[in-house]
């Protein structure tokens, strides 16, 4: 459903991604792992239209999307949950969720909101609380919940476990699995390679803006190079 072919991108004259090839199929969790500065966030920004590739082709659902505005991509079902969450801090949980549903126009938001509350019951309990007073884990859940309100076909998740306790990390990873099981594909960027490879159907290892290895999650978790470089084994 998503395909990058020979994609190069960066900031001003600084090239960060070098002819990247990557794909995500329906119903898959695909992880991109790599060290600090490898270009993981830049990859997601390029897919979601925040950065324009300098060369290469990106297609989503068979249509070319490089150069398409981010808001239009959200309408088409490609939704990015950035690192740092970008919530509307002074607004309540419920208001944040409603903002996420803007693509639905006048259609009622009760059903998608019920699904989010089913996934993250704590958000239902806190629906009137303002977002900036939630814990880090609750904010991450809200950021993911808000993205689901748009009815995505593909979610781009940037470092969802950053700053979370082990217990909350597992809760968020579990939720990602449930989201996949509900039919939404997920492209997940993670510095914590152990978590990502455990969760992913397939994964790519990124080094200095290039894919150096790819395979199934368990396959890569067994790879000696990955174990030495990213799993500390
Ligand atoms: P991290 O896990 O640290 O977020 P990452 O793999 O996501 O790392 P990126 O954030 O994509 O890496 O950064 C890749 C490179 O691009 C880094 O060298 C970074 O300094 C550079 N970079 C990121 N954002 C900008 C920017 N806005 N302007 C210039 N350079 C940038």
């Amino acid at each position: 459903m998503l395909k990058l072919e020979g994609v190069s991108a960066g900031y001003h004259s600084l090239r960060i991604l070098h002819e990247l090839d990557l794909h995500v199929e329906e119903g898959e969790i695909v992880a991109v792992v790599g060290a600090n500065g490898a270009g993981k966030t830049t990859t997601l920004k390029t897919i979601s239209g925040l950065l324009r590739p300098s060369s290469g082709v990106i297609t989503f659902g068979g249509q070319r999307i490089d150069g398409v505005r981010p808001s239009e991509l959200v309408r088409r079902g490609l939704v990015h949950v950035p690192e740092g969450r970008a919530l509307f801090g002074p607004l309540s949980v419920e208001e944040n969720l409603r903002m996420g549903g803007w693509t639905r126009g006048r259609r009622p938001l009760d059903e998608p909101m019920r699904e989010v509350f089913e996934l993250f019951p704590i958000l239902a309990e806190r629906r009137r609380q303002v977002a900036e007073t939630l814990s880090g884990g609750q904010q991450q859940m809200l950021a993911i919940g808000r993205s689901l309100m748009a009815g995505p076909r593909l979610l781009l998740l940037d470092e969802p476990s950053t700053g979370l306790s082990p217990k909350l990390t597992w809760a968020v990873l579990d939720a990602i699995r449930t989201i996949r099981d509900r039919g939404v594909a997920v492209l997940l960027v993670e510095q914590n390679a152990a978590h990502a490879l455990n969760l992913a159907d397939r994964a790519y290892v990124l080094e200095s803006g290039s894919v150096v290895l790819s395979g199934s999650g368990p396959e890569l978790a067994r790879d000696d190079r990955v174990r030495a470089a990213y799993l500390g084994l």
Side-chain angles (χ1 to χ4, degrees):
M1 71 187 319
L2 175 77
K3 200 167 188 185
L4 277 69
E5 290 171 288
V7 169
S8 298
Y11 305 94
H12 311 289
S13 58
L14 186 66
R15 193 160 148 191
I16 303 293
L17 304 181
H18 305 280
E19 299 184 0
L20 212 63
D21 292 330
L22 176 160
H23 66 101
V24 179
E25 303 303 329
E26 305 271 353
E28 272 192 322
I29 298 175
V30 175
V32 177
V33 301
N36 256 327
K40 304 183 298 295
T41 296
T42 304
T43 302
L44 294 194
K45 283 185 180 169
T46 306
I47 297 168
S48 67
L50 295 172
L51 277 179
R52 201 181 259 258
S54 52
S55 60
V57 174
I58 308 178
T59 54
F60 178 60
Q63 289 184 319
R64 194 157 172 180
I65 58 162
D66 43 284
V68 174
R69 273 183 299 139
S71 56
E72 172 58 23
L73 293 178
V74 173
R75 279 184 208 282
R76 295 191 199 176
L78 198 162
V79 182
H80 185 176
V81 183
E83 201 176 4
R85 296 150 199 164
L87 294 170
F88 302 104
L91 300 188
S92 71
V93 166
E94 183 170 337
E95 286 163 337
N96 267 277
L97 291 176
R98 289 192 178 279
M99 301 286 265
W102 65 272
T103 52
R104 294 179 187 261
R106 291 178 179 278
R107 280 179 294 156
L109 295 173
D110 300 350
E111 183 57 23
M113 204 169 321
R114 194 189 57 72
E115 286 181 13
V116 171
F117 288 153
E118 201 177 88
L119 189 65
F120 299 120
I122 187 75
L123 295 182
E125 286 171 33
R126 304 297 174 95
R127 62 194 292 165
R128 311 248 175 267
Q129 189 172 330
V130 293
E132 62 202 3
T133 63
L134 295 173
S135 75
Q138 292 161 358
Q139 289 192 19
Q140 186 60 61
M141 291 172 187
L142 180 54
I144 296 174
R146 188 181 57 183
S147 71
L148 293 174
M149 294 293 292
R153 294 161 57 209
L154 172 65
L155 268 194
L156 309 178
L157 294 181
D158 198 348
E159 305 270 3
S161 73
T162 299
L164 303 192
S165 67
K167 189 172 159 216
L168 279 178
T169 296
W170 287 117
V172 167
L173 297 180
D174 258 356
I176 295 172
R177 231 178 246 123
T178 307
I179 289 167
R180 187 265 319 267
D181 293 344
R182 287 180 182 177
V184 180
V186 177
L187 180 61
L188 168 74
V189 152
E190 263 289 352
Q191 222 172 322
N192 188 323
H195 287 152
L197 296 180
N198 190 341
L199 182 68
D201 300 301
R202 282 188 310 108
Y204 295 89
V205 178
L206 207 61
E207 271 177 23
S208 307
S210 298
V211 171
V212 292
L213 277 174
S214 62
S216 76
E219 219 168 75
L220 287 184
R222 282 195 303 270
D223 186 286
D224 285 340
R225 289 163 293 178
V226 173
R227 286 163 66 86
Y230 303 106
L231 301 177
L233 299 170

